[in-house]
Amino acid sequence: MSFASFGEFLAMGHHGLYVWSAYGICLAVLVLNVAVPVLARRRYLQQEARRLRRENGQ
């Protein structure tokens, strides 16, 4: 499929809203699949560091 202009490419034959929203949702899911475990690991390590400081301080 070829497009005569960039505007036509973005419109995707009047299906642009569906196509680009699907790409956006897919990208958001991929980013969340990376970000959530990274943030959970960071939070876990901070909690463990606090716990170890508490245990060593007593």
Side-chain angles (χ1 to χ4, degrees):
M1 180 181 271
S2 65
F3 301 99
S5 69
F6 188 68
E8 284 184 24
F9 171 73
L10 291 177
M12 291 278 177
H14 302 292
H15 298 289
L17 180 62
Y18 169 76
V19 171
W20 296 116
S21 63
Y23 274 116
I25 290 169
C26 181
L27 181 63
V29 168
L30 290 174
V31 167
L32 285 173
N33 278 334
V34 172
V36 169
V38 168
L39 294 174
R41 180 178 184 271
R42 182 180 299 159
R43 187 171 46 251
Y44 170 75
L45 291 175
Q46 288 172 346
Q47 289 172 349
E48 285 300 306
R50 267 188 255 124
R51 184 184 64 80
L52 287 173
R53 281 194 303 270
R54 255 192 328 262
E55 288 178 1
N56 290 333
Q58 293 179 350

